[in-house]
């Protein structure tokens, strides 16, 4: 065998299209909630691949499912169905409001499918004018042209104009404002139950309830983007279950594959009929390899032990972060739900979330940001107490450095 090509962090700048600015080290291995870089330095992983590695790294049962399926069948294309995908569909249906599932490979694709379903559903009802989509400021729904246009951060979409039309943005958690823009021309309202990328901002219960009523009144579909909040992240299987508000369409990805790419759009029997044979599709969507992994991830997470454990772990985080904040008052608020935690910087430290995560890296912990002023933690849902303590001790050292 040839020697593998030697790579360093510099190789990224030399060879990669610069849409990312990754950390200045390269991670090579992970186990549970620990990862190691090329130099063998250890990090506690409080990011979980951005709310993806919900069972940590190299979970033995997930690994076994991957290896077993890898020896059988990876891919067929959608002219042929397969056993793992059908089993995964049944798991999703049994655990949620949904009757039917469409599989794809990412969150953006799941949202793309949901928005297309909404447009076609309205058209099929005979109303050509019913094509307007209502979305929210600061929302994040992915990076395809349709989903980035539905997202509420113009800096991500404006350079790619002309953008798909018929999308109106309105302030999040402002029901009166939403009432002004939702009408009989609205085909869908798309909303994250907790805005993730937008700063870890939970929807108020009355807001989601109000959107449900407005959608019912005007015959619009309510789409919950649970790409980040889904599959146990908040301590419930899906966040809609915390709110008691049931959407018409739900999108799920990130944690669904535990690190293997997969996404899904789930909906009711009635709405599923909108997307008949040939109206939508994807080459890789629902491939047996992804579905086999997701099937195991889903059944491991959808248990009282893991879901209750998420709430327990939130308490460990809150206790540790509160202690840090007593010594170094850096955060004005700790918000979110379950293991989707946002720590809002005091005005004094505004704009320095990225710097804080870089210092955290130096101290041996991986953390995320959610905008310039929020440090975000989305660790494994089964992170051991020992790792939470050690990671927070390392994080405290980073906070001490920024505060002194
Ligand atoms: C990450 C995310 C997406 C996009 O998912 P991709 O897999 O990156 O396409 C969409 N919506 C929300 C809420 C997300 O957090």
């Amino acid at each position: 065998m040839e020697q593998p090509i030697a790579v360093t962090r510099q190789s990224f700048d030399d060879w990669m299209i610069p849409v990312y600015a990754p950390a200045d080290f390269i991670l090579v291995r992970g186990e549970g909630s620990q990862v190691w870089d090329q130099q063998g330095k250890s990090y506690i992983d409080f990011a979980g691949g951005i709310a993806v590695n919900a069972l940590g790294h190299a979970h033995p049962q997930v690994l076994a499912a991957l290896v077993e399926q890898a020896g059988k069948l990876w891919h067929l294309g959608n002219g042929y169905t397969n056993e793992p995908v059908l089993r995964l569909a049944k798991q999703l249906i049994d655990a949620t409001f949904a009757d039917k599932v469409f599989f794809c490979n990412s969150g953006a694709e799941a949202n793309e499918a949901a928005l297309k379903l909404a447009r076609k559903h309205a058209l099929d009802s005979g109303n050509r004018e019913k094509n307007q989509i209502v979305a929210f400021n600061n929302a994040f729904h992915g990076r395809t042209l349709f989903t980035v246009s539905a997202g509420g951060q113009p800096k991500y979409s404006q350079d790619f104009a002309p953008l798909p039309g018929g999308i109106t943005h309105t302030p999040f958690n402002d029901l009166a404002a939403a009432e002004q823009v939702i009408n009989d021309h609205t085909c869908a309202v798309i909303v994250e139950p907790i805005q993730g990328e937008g700063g870890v901002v939970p929807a108020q219960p009355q807001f989601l309830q109000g959107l449900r009523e407005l959608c019912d009144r005007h015959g619009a579909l309510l789409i919950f983007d649970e790409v980040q909040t889904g599959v146990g992240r908040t301590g419930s299987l899906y966040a809609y279950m915390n709110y008691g508000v049931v959407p018409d369409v739900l999108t799920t990805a990130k944690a669904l594959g535990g690190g293997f790419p997969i996404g899904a759009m789930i909906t009711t029997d009635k709405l599923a009929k909108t997307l008949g044979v040939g109206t939508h599709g994807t080459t890789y969507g629902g491939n047996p390899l992804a579905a086999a992994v997701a099937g195991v991830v889903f059944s491991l997470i959808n248990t009282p032990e893991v879901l209750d454990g998420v709430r327990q772990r939130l308490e460990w985080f809150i206790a540790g972060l509160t202690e840090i904040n007593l010594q170094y008052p850096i955060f004005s608020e700790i918000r979110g739900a379950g293991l989707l935690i946002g720590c809002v910087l005091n005005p004094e430290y505004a704009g320095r979330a990225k710097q804080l995560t870089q210092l955290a890296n130096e101290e041996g912990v991986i953390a995320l940001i959610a905008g310039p002023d929020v440090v975000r933690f989305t660790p494994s849902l089964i992170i051991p107490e020992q790792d939470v303590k050690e990671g927070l001790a390392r994080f405290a050292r980073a906070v001490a450095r920024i505060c002194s």
Side-chain angles (χ1 to χ4, degrees):
M1 271 259 284
E2 262 184 79
Q3 283 293 311
I5 297 169
V7 291
T8 65
R9 173 60 180 79
Q10 180 61 37
S11 313
F12 182 93
D13 297 337
D14 293 343
W15 303 331
M16 304 291 274
I17 293 175
V19 293
Y20 309 113
D24 58 8
F25 50 92
I26 298 184
L27 296 168
V28 295
R29 190 167 69 84
E31 200 180 309
S33 286
Q34 277 199 73
V35 286
W36 290 268
D37 70 14
Q38 285 180 318
Q39 278 67 46
K41 176 176 164 184
S42 112
Y43 302 78
I44 302 291
D45 185 5
F46 281 173
I50 319 186
V52 167
N53 306 314
L55 295 169
H57 300 271
H59 187 285
Q61 281 160 277
V62 180
L63 179 61
L66 177 72
V67 170
E68 191 194 331
Q69 187 60 39
K72 284 186 185 164
L73 199 55
W74 295 20
H75 176 80
L76 292 164
N78 284 301
Y80 305 85
T81 193
N82 63 78
E83 292 178 349
V85 80
L86 297 174
R87 293 194 183 110
L88 179 61
K90 185 71 164 77
Q91 286 176 277
L92 281 160
I93 291 163
D94 285 349
T96 66
F97 73 95
D99 312 305
K100 289 280 193 313
V101 185
F102 170 80
F103 287 105
C104 51
N105 313 289
S106 67
E109 284 172 84
N111 286 327
E112 185 87 20
L115 296 172
K116 286 178 71 177
L117 185 156
R119 282 266 173 87
K120 188 168 184 303
H121 175 69
L123 184 69
D124 290 354
S125 75
N127 187 348
R128 293 204 148 269
E129 260 97 72
K130 195 174 179 64
N131 53 32
Q132 299 293 305
I133 291 161
V134 171
F136 296 93
N137 297 345
N138 278 320
F140 185 81
H141 299 301
R143 299 293 199 135
T144 64
L145 200 56
F146 200 176
T147 58
V148 85
S149 304
Q153 299 201 50
K155 66 171 188 213
Y156 290 146
S157 59
Q158 63 199 9
D159 295 350
F160 304 101
L163 303 176
I167 304 171
T168 305
H169 292 93
T170 183
F172 188 64
N173 272 334
D174 184 341
L175 190 57
E179 196 161 3
Q180 294 298 308
V181 295
I182 298 171
N183 56 46
D184 289 345
H185 291 163
T186 308
C187 67
V189 175
I190 182 165
V191 65
E192 297 157 88
I194 301 174
Q195 285 192 335
E197 303 304 308
V200 189
V201 186
Q204 287 153 10
Q206 322 82 279
F207 179 64
L208 293 186
Q209 189 63 54
L211 292 181
R212 178 69 276 175
E213 283 160 20
L214 287 167
C215 284
D216 290 342
R217 191 181 313 157
H218 296 289
L221 303 188
L222 182 59
I223 303 169
F224 277 3
D225 177 348
E226 293 230 30
V227 169
Q228 189 152 164
T229 54
V231 199
R233 178 59 46 193
T234 68
S236 296
L237 185 64
Y238 284 97
Y240 83 84
M241 297 167 176
N242 299 329
Y243 285 95
V245 177
V246 180
D248 300 297
V249 179
L250 181 148
T251 57
T252 178
K254 288 202 166 96
L256 183 60
F260 200 98
I262 183 168
M265 168 183 71
I266 68 175
T267 188
T268 60
D269 256 329
K270 181 166 161 274
L271 293 172
K273 292 191 176 73
T274 305
L275 296 180
V277 175
T279 57
H280 190 57
T282 149
T283 297
Y284 290 117
N287 69 79
L289 198 50
V293 174
V296 171
V297 170
F298 195 85
S299 65
L300 287 171
I301 291 176
N302 192 23
T303 61
E305 300 77 60
V306 170
L307 297 176
D308 293 344
V310 168
R311 299 186 191 105
Q312 171 68 66
R313 283 161 177 75
L314 172 63
E315 284 172 26
W316 299 337
F317 268 94
I318 299 273
L321 289 166
T322 306
E323 207 172 303
I324 292 171
N325 213 31
L326 277 175
Q327 200 176 355
Y328 310 101
I330 185 171
F331 300 125
S332 58
E333 189 188 357
I334 297 167
R335 66 191 179 199
L339 289 173
L340 175 51
I341 304 167
C343 305
V344 188
L345 293 173
N346 273 325
E348 201 187 332
Y349 299 99
R352 295 176 71 185
K354 184 80 206 174
Q355 187 196 357
L356 182 52
T357 62
Q358 282 161 347
L359 291 172
N361 287 165
E362 290 179 21
E363 297 297 336
V365 61
I366 311 263
L368 295 168
I369 61 171
D373 306 324
V374 178
V375 175
R376 176 173 39 152
F377 300 117
T378 54
S380 159
L381 305 182
I382 56 168
I383 184 171
E385 185 169 18
Q386 180 59 31
D387 289 348
V388 174
K389 287 207 162 127
E390 177 59 27
L392 286 175
R394 296 178 187 185
F395 183 69
R397 294 202 278 276
V399 171
R401 282 169 67 188
I402 227 172
C403 291
S404 55

